[in-house]
Structure formats: structure tokens, C-alpha cells
Amino acid sequence: MSQQTETLAERSLLQAVLQLWALFLGIALLLAGNGLQATLLGVVAEDSGFSSALTGLVMTAYFAGFFAGSASAERLIGRVGHVRTFAALASLGSIAILVHGLIIDPWVWAGMRFLTGFSFAGLYVVAESWLNRESSNAYRGALLAIYMIITHGSLAIGQGLLNTAPTSGLALYALSSIIISGALVPILLSSTPQPHFVLEVERLTLRKLFSISPLGLTGSFCAGVANGIILGMGAVYARRLGFEVGGVSIFMAACLVGGAALQWPIGRLSDAIDRRLVIAGVAAAAAVIAALMPMAAQHGLMTLTLAGFFAGGLTMTLYPLSMAHTHDWLEVDQMTPASSALVMVYGGGAMLGPLGTGVLMGAFGPNGFAWYLVSLCLLLSAYAIYRITRRQAPDSTEDYLLAPAAISAGEYWAETAVEEAGESEDEASSA
């Protein structure tokens, strides 16, 4: 790429980012609020004497709601449009977190977590811009990388907010509600046109998708379980080890920062070599790190935080790796329904993460968290190696997806920005 072409690509990327400012700011606020409440609830559940199994059930309710929301959000958008759907679901999420603070009861919390998961699934469908079709735009990957950094960074900021007030009062619940409500402002005041969205008439069945990419489907499911373990029960695990609220927030933030930091190098590696080999290696490395977590915990917070950085960072690359591997085997017209199906599979796996962790921690203590993660990652690594022996790698591969790709209305915003920037680039090239 010549220096002039690089300059034009950089200029186009800047135009795309500016076009998407409302989406970036809105999702940043949503995830900061969601990151705060998820860790807050884990800490309060532990301090309130919830059993590990009961806490796992409460946290699982979020992913059950997410699963249901991802299945129904398209129909809701089709009836009332994207902006109204975004506003309604953000309001529901804001209400749900306040109810948590008013009524500390595991069954009420389970219902509210379901409602929160349902709301955020719909918000992701509206806001995410990660659907990646075959594209020649040189800066598409960079745009997605910026988006991924914003999402993980916002979740990490949410962990830091846990230290701004006592966990025993209503202040943190109110803060989370305020932040989530604030996400409505840039979306509703933006002059960006309401996204255009077309429901898919035909979908891939899971059986058909499994026949196309067994590892992609299995990897997406395992990634959901792994992320459910860390994001759903990581705060409970750290609290059970005896760390104070500040230590819990540091540990959870490290997991999320690792998830952002390792995306790019691992993704680039998967573009260079057989992606199945990368999945096997990442899963095996995550298993090793998870196996070391009990020992790391004995050496104090900083050592455990380092382990969390790599455990979170490695496991959070498994979904985009699995998504990219699946896309390697798809026709262009199969990509949207396949992405939607993989999100559903991911959500189904995520429900098993907190639930299984709660049961294992109840039976084996805090180390049940680590051993669940070890077993899961070893199984995925072994299956990836097995799949390498069954067929050759595809002749060409899709670009690595830096974030979960779902059917998303926000895709229109990204596509509009990219197309407008691309037109500017073409005009500059012909000048």
C-alpha cells in the first residue's frame, strides 16, 4: 500500500468513526453501567449469604434473558423501529437495576436479571455494528478494533465505579441506572437516520450449520460457557477468596482489559495460519492459566489479577475465532443467518457458565471456578485438534471478527459510514 493510499484509508477511518460517534458513546455508557451492576450483584449476593448454587442461578437468569431477547428483538424492531426499541429496552434495563437495590431477594433478582438480559440482547441487536460480510475496505478491521476496545474498556470502567460508594446502599444501583439511562441521549439526539433493517426470511438450522462448521458451532458454545463463568461468577469467586470490594473490581477489570488487549494479536495470527490450530492453542493456554489460578490466589491479589488478565483475554477471543472459522466455510448469503444462529448458541452456552460454576463452587469451594474453566478449555482444544485431522483448511479465510457478529440494526450505521468514507476515498483517488 502506497503512502498516499494509507493516508486516504486513515482519513476514511476517521470519517467512519465520526459518523458513528453516537453509537460508540451510547454503547460505551450501556456497557459501563452493565459492567458495574454485574460485579455489584456478585459482591452483594456473596455478602448477603446467597449460596453458590443460588448465586449461579441468579446470574444464569441474565443469560437466559439474553437468549430470549436475541430471539425476539428482530420482531420488536420490525414493529416499532430501531430508535423506539433502543429507548424502551434501555429504560427496562435501567428500571431492573433499581429493583435489585430495593429488594434483595434471590428470586426477585433472578427475575430482574432475566429482564436485564432480555433488554441488553435487544440493545445489542440495535446497536452492534459487527456483522462482517466480504469487504474490500482496508479500514473495516480497524473500525471493528476501535469498537471492541470501546466495549471492553467501558466494561472495565464499570468495575472501577464499584469503589465509588458502599455496596450496602442504593447509591451504586442508582449510578448504574443513571449511566444506562444516559445512553439514550446520544442515540435519540443524533441526526443519523434510523437504521434500515430487513428480517431474514430463511435461516440456517443448527444441524445444517453444524454440518458446515462443527468446530465453529462447538467453539461458539464453549466460548459462551467460558464467558459466563468469568463474567457471571468472577466477582463471586474473587469475593469467596476473601478479597475486598476494591480487589474484586481490580480482578474483574483485568479480565476485561485482557479481553481487549489480546484480540488483535491473536486475530492477526489466525489470519496467517490454520484458524483451528489457533483455537486449539488458545483454549489449551487458557486451560493452563486457569489451572494456575488457585496457586496464583495464594500469592495475593496482584498475582491473581495477572492470571485473570490472561484467562479473560484468552477465553474472550474464542468466540470471534469460532465466528471467523465458521465464516471461512459460508457462502455470502449464509453469513447473516449463521451469525444470528451462533449468537443464539453462544447465549445458550453462557447460561451454563454461572449455573455450573455455582454448583462446583458449592461442592469444591472457590477452586471449582478454575477447574470448570480448565475442563471446558481442554475439551475444546482436544476437539479442535480432532477437527484438524478430519479435513483440510479452507483455501481462503474471512477476516478475523473482533467482536461477536449478530444481526444488527447498528450495522446500517457502520455500513453507511464505511460507504460514505469509501466514496470520499474513490473521489480522492480519481482526482
Side-chain angles (χ1 to χ4, degrees), residues 130-148:
W130 294 328
L131 182 61
N132 187 10
R133 290 182 179 269
E134 213 171 332
S135 175
S136 61
N137 294 287
Y139 49 84
R140 177 65 59 82
L143 185 63
L144 293 174
I146 292 170
Y147 199 91
M148 190 64 172

Side-chain angles (χ1 to χ4, degrees), residues 56 59-64 66-68 70 206 217-232 319 341-357 372-373 376:
M59 297 305 175
T60 297
Y62 173 86
F63 297 106
F66 190 93
F67 184 85
S70 63
L206 293 182
L217 196 68
T218 304
S220 296
F221 178 81
C222 291
V225 178
N227 286 317
I229 293 171
I230 293 176
L231 299 179
Y319 182 84
L342 290 178
V343 169
M344 297 283 288
V345 169
Y346 174 91
M351 287 190 285
L352 298 181
L355 191 61
T357 304
Y372 190 14
L373 199 57
L376 176 76

Side-chain angles (χ1 to χ4, degrees), residues 28 31-32 35-36 150-162 253 256-257:
L31 292 180
L36 167 60
I150 289 172
T151 57
H152 279 82
S154 300
L155 286 169
I157 289 172
Q159 313 307 310
L161 294 174
L162 190 66
L256 293 164
V257 171

Side-chain angles (χ1 to χ4, degrees), residues 41 50 54 57-59 61-62 95-116 173:
L41 296 179
F50 293 6
L54 192 55
L57 179 63
V58 170
M59 297 305 175
Y62 173 86
I95 293 169
I97 186 58
L98 290 175
V99 175
H100 283 91
L102 293 172
I103 307 174
I104 300 179
D105 176 85
W107 301 111
V108 173
W109 277 23
M112 291 301 100
R113 288 304 285 165
F114 182 92
L115 181 60
T116 302
Y173 300 95

Side-chain angles (χ1 to χ4, degrees), residues 351-409:
M351 287 190 285
L352 298 181
L355 191 61
T357 304
V359 172
L360 291 174
M361 288 178 66
F364 303 107
N367 290 340
F369 174 93
W371 297 125
Y372 190 14
L373 199 57
V374 170
S375 302
L376 176 76
C377 292
L378 284 179
L379 288 173
L380 178 58
S381 180
Y383 186 67
I385 293 172
Y386 167 74
R387 290 305 309 170
I388 292 174
T389 68
R390 305 307 297 171
R391 65 177 175 181
Q392 296 293 321
D395 295 333
S396 60
T397 59
E398 292 295 315
D399 289 339
Y400 174 76
L401 301 178
L402 288 165
I407 295 178
S408 65

Side-chain angles (χ1 to χ4, degrees), residues 55-248:
T55 302
L57 179 63
V58 170
M59 297 305 175
T60 297
Y62 173 86
F63 297 106
F66 190 93
F67 184 85
S70 63
S72 59
E74 295 174 73
R75 293 189 294 274
L76 181 60
I77 292 169
R79 287 199 300 268
V80 302
H82 299 81
V83 172
R84 288 182 179 179
T85 299
F86 188 96
L89 293 177
S91 297
L92 284 177
S94 180
I95 293 169
I97 186 58
L98 290 175
V99 175
H100 283 91
L102 293 172
I103 307 174
I104 300 179
D105 176 85
W107 301 111
V108 173
W109 277 23
M112 291 301 100
R113 288 304 285 165
F114 182 92
L115 181 60
T116 302
F118 183 92
S119 300
F120 271 83
L123 290 168
Y124 288 146
V125 170
V126 174
E128 289 176 359
S129 58
W130 294 328
L131 182 61
N132 187 10
R133 290 182 179 269
E134 213 171 332
S135 175
S136 61
N137 294 287
Y139 49 84
R140 177 65 59 82
L143 185 63
L144 293 174
I146 292 170
Y147 199 91
M148 190 64 172
I149 291 169
I150 289 172
T151 57
H152 279 82
S154 300
L155 286 169
I157 289 172
Q159 313 307 310
L161 294 174
L162 190 66
N163 301 290
T164 60
T167 59
S168 57
L170 284 174
L172 290 177
Y173 300 95
L175 178 59
S176 177
S177 177
I178 290 169
I179 295 172
I180 292 172
S181 297
L184 289 167
V185 177
I187 299 297
L188 295 177
L189 294 183
S190 172
S191 59
T192 304
Q194 178 166 273
H196 175 68
F197 186 79
V198 179
L199 293 176
E200 292 294 323
V201 177
E202 182 179 356
R203 293 185 178 277
L204 287 175
T205 64
L206 293 182
R207 177 177 296 182
K208 174 66 174 178
L209 188 58
F210 184 81
S211 69
I212 295 173
S213 179
L215 179 59
L217 196 68
T218 304
S220 296
F221 178 81
C222 291
V225 178
N227 286 317
I229 293 171
I230 293 176
L231 299 179
M233 294 295 285
V236 177
Y237 168 66
R239 192 64 165 163
R240 188 65 60 87
L241 289 172
F243 294 111
E244 298 298 328
V245 172
V248 173

